[in-house]
Amino acid sequence: MNKTHQFTKRFAMGFAITIGLSTSAMAVDINGGSSWTGWTSKGLSSQLGVYGSGSETAVYEVYTTSFSFNNDSADFTGGAVGGGLTGGATGFGTGGFSRGAFANGNRILGIGVRVVSGGSISVFTPTVRFDLDSDSYQPASTVPGGDGQTSSGTYSEFKDFTVQFASSLTWAGTTLNGQAGNGTFYGGLSTFQTIPGGIGSGVSYDWAFRAFAQADSYQMLFDLDAMQALYGPNAFGFTFPGIGTIGNAVRISLNGLGNNNVVFDATTTVVPPDDICPVISNIQPTLVPINTPFDLTANVDDTTTGGSTIDSASYSIEYGTPVAMTASDGTFDEISENVKATLSITSAGIYNVCVSATDAAGNTCEECILLAVYDPSAGFVTGGGWINSPDGAYTPNTPNDDTDDHLVGKANFGFVSKYKKGASIPDGNTEFQFQAGGLNFHSTSYQWLVVNANGQNAQFKGDGKINGIGNFGFMVRGWDGAKNATPDTFRIQIWDKENGDAPVYDNGDTVLGGGNIVIHVPKK
């Protein structure tokens, strides 16, 4: 029995495998099978699937891998034969023939085979057929059975795809057939077009495949991104629209010589390399008392932004030096992590607190909130008077009409905000009237009050209604200029909580036209 025939018999069966693309960097041994780091063993052929026509006695181990390509992470040790034009067994170099195949970041699907018993596979001519919507090829129904559907001439559909590897293993691909059958184009099931060009042909073009072999093992690698780009719709040299979309389910038919075939499913959600940072949400708390330890918490989730595990998280205050946060369950090993850090702040104020998170693919995002740190004993604030409302301060929700956005005129205000003894929520009242815009805002509740340690300014936040209706948030900042001989200023921000926090009014820090703001600080 020659070596080619031995190889053929080892592939004479059907089995199902599941392939999922890793989005994190990892080392993958690509050496023909002298080692298998980065590959997953699916088990022995004697324990897998349904045989087609061919040997029932040859035994081999099946491996799969899938990853985002990084030439620096591939281990080419082991003396493999095969490879690419300039890369050989030491790399994937393609010189001037590259059309994007095996570029860093591309999605790679790998199938590996190792002989357990049954001979050498150093010389053979495997054919790999892609049934892109998993409805053409079928494994045999019995052990062994001759009813497997594997022929590209008989069972292939329009836009399916066939690759035939060279038996010499000097490079990975001699004949590529783009299927144009099923009676929808070119008039029949057995009709196909051979793709022109290839490595060494003088055409500036590269195959999207590589193969490496040892005496008793073989690794085939398929660049899914390059396959889609090079052989898909509108690809060069085609007189039909190209192969179909490489989607979630790909059925593969493999055969060597004769009619010995194997059919298996590579069923996966084919995801692109993860280049999107995780989502950071639910940063809490937003209000704390001074000199009191608290847990800063957040959720970090990469489920919808690439699917990588979360690698680390940190926080910073006022854009200072980042401080590490921990995973709430003790280990960063999930796609979604709750993170936390314990801290204490010693001065009252409004602080920018930012949480940063990095996923295993190296993508980092940051999300910030305003943290109010209050001191119930620091004093309270009162104010009353008027301002000239500037152009653009009032932005009501009036679709297709921005007339109100440019209203100006006098606006009256009055407020008091203070902590009652022993309370953690301030008490008081705020009213703001902008007559030109027909706006009369009245507070209904407060959330917090912060009086700065120097007693020069104060901020408070709460909820209220406009003209007696709605659900609006507001925040007031008042500056008591008497503390340093400067004018008093007043700012109020109002937003619509029932309309995605759409802004309604914001005058910025505006000098009072009349009246005053007083920050009442307890005497030391």
Side-chain angles (χ1 to χ4, degrees):
M1 179 182 292
N2 61 45
K3 294 179 179 179
T4 302
H5 193 50
Q6 291 175 8
F7 171 82
T8 301
K9 288 195 172 183
R10 289 186 310 98
F11 273 84
M13 63 188 62
F15 52 92
I17 61 174
T18 300
I19 295 175
L21 289 174
S22 170
T23 56
S24 59
M26 66 177 182
V28 178
D29 287 350
I30 301 173
N31 48 37
S34 59
S35 58
W36 296 90
T37 299
W39 296 72
T40 299
S41 173
K42 295 297 182 179
L44 300 179
S45 62
S46 55
Q47 302 167 340
L48 294 172
V50 179
Y51 289 83
S53 59
S55 172
E56 298 178 60
T57 59
V59 178
Y60 61 89
E61 188 169 13
V62 178
Y63 294 85
T64 62
T65 188
S66 51
F67 54 92
S68 298
F69 187 76
N70 183 335
N71 197 42
D72 299 327
S73 70
D75 179 0
F76 293 99
T77 61
V81 294
L85 177 66
T86 61
T90 60
F92 280 85
T94 54
F97 296 100
S98 177
R99 281 279 297 265
F102 293 94
N104 282 351
N106 283 10
R107 300 166 296 159
I108 310 301
L109 182 152
I111 301 171
V113 175
R114 180 183 67 86
V115 172
V116 176
S117 62
S120 171
I121 61 168
S122 61
V123 179
F124 55 91
T125 307
T127 299
V128 185
R129 299 181 177 121
F130 287 79
D131 173 11
L132 295 182
D133 52 4
S134 300
D135 64 350
S136 298
Y137 307 129
Q138 300 293 334
S141 59
T142 61
V143 181
D147 60 343
Q149 299 177 1
T150 62
S151 169
S152 62
T154 304
Y155 300 108
S156 179
E157 289 186 326
F158 178 51
K159 295 189 178 183
D160 286 345
F161 193 56
T162 298
V163 181
Q164 187 175 64
F165 285 81
S167 59
S168 65
L169 288 175
T170 56
W171 51 282
T174 54
T175 303
L176 284 77
N177 294 331
Q179 301 302 326
N182 202 27
T184 60
F185 205 85
Y186 281 68
L189 280 169
S190 62
T191 303
F192 60 85
Q193 178 179 357
T194 299
I195 298 174
I199 296 175
S201 69
V203 178
S204 181
Y205 170 67
D206 185 18
W207 302 130
F209 322 103
R210 293 290 184 271
F212 299 88
Q214 298 287 342
D216 61 353
S217 57
Y218 191 66
Q219 295 172 340
M220 292 177 285
L221 301 166
F222 305 89
D223 185 332
L224 302 184
D225 287 332
M227 286 175 63
Q228 200 73 78
L230 297 177
Y231 318 131
N234 304 314
F236 85 100
F238 285 171
T239 53
F240 67 95
I243 67 172
T245 300
I246 304 174
N248 292 346
V250 178
R251 181 158 290 173
I252 302 294
S253 168
L254 295 177
N255 77 295
L257 296 176
N259 296 317
N260 299 317
N261 302 306
V262 55
V263 175
F264 64 93
D265 288 328
T267 305
T268 178
T269 300
V270 180
V271 297
D274 183 1
D275 57 3
I276 305 175
C277 57
V279 175
I280 303 169
S281 63
N282 197 30
I283 303 175
Q284 296 291 335
T286 57
L287 173 68
V288 296
I290 64 168
N291 300 317
T292 304
F294 66 94
D295 282 342
L296 177 68
T297 62
N299 177 257
V300 183
D301 193 338
D302 206 48
T303 302
T304 61
T305 54
S308 296
T309 56
I310 305 304
D311 187 67
S312 63
S314 63
Y315 75 90
S316 64
I317 298 177
E318 290 299 315
Y319 310 107
T321 303
V323 179
M325 303 179 76
T326 61
S328 296
D329 62 1
T331 306
F332 285 103
D333 58 0
E334 302 290 340
I335 294 175
S336 178
E337 294 279 5
N338 292 316
V339 298
K340 66 177 182 178
T342 301
L343 60 150
S344 178
I345 299 178
T346 59
S347 296
I350 308 297
Y351 294 91
N352 283 290
V353 176
C354 298
V355 172
S356 176
T358 302
D359 63 21
N363 303 302
T364 299
C365 268
E366 184 178 77
E367 188 72 24
C368 300
I369 63 165
L370 291 177
L371 174 65
V373 181
Y374 69 94
D375 181 357
S377 64
F380 63 99
V381 60
T382 59
W386 61 274
I387 61 169
N388 284 308
S389 181
D391 185 0
Y394 183 43
T395 54
N397 183 19
T398 51
N400 303 317
D401 183 3
D402 64 353
T403 304
D404 289 345
D405 295 3
H406 301 287
L407 293 175
V408 297
K410 185 177 181 180
N412 300 307
F413 70 88
F415 62 80
V416 59
S417 181
K418 65 187 298 184
Y419 286 99
K420 291 184 177 180
K421 187 175 182 179
S424 60
I425 302 295
D427 187 46
N429 182 51
T430 295
E431 189 159 351
F432 179 75
Q433 299 173 345
F434 179 38
Q435 188 171 357
L439 184 155
N440 188 342
F441 175 83
H442 195 285
S443 65
T444 56
S445 63
Y446 283 176
Q447 296 176 20
W448 49 258
L449 161 68
V450 173
V451 177
N452 280 21
N454 58 18
Q456 291 183 330
N457 63 79
Q459 296 182 68
F460 56 93
K461 183 180 180 183
D463 297 320
K465 298 179 181 295
I466 292 178
N467 301 330
I469 60 175
N471 181 18
F472 297 87
F474 81 101
M475 185 162 61
V476 167
R477 178 165 66 186
W479 189 279
D480 185 351
K483 298 294 191 296
N484 59 357
T486 59
D488 291 358
T489 62
F490 168 81
R491 179 184 185 183
I492 185 168
Q493 297 166 269
I494 304 173
W495 56 91
D496 189 347
K497 299 179 69 172
E498 294 181 350
N499 188 29
D501 291 340
V504 175
Y505 189 92
D506 183 359
N507 63 292
D509 292 311
T510 305
V511 174
L512 269 60
N516 57 54
I517 291 173
V518 179
I519 296 177
H520 307 263
V521 179
K523 293 181 179 181
K524 303 296 183 181

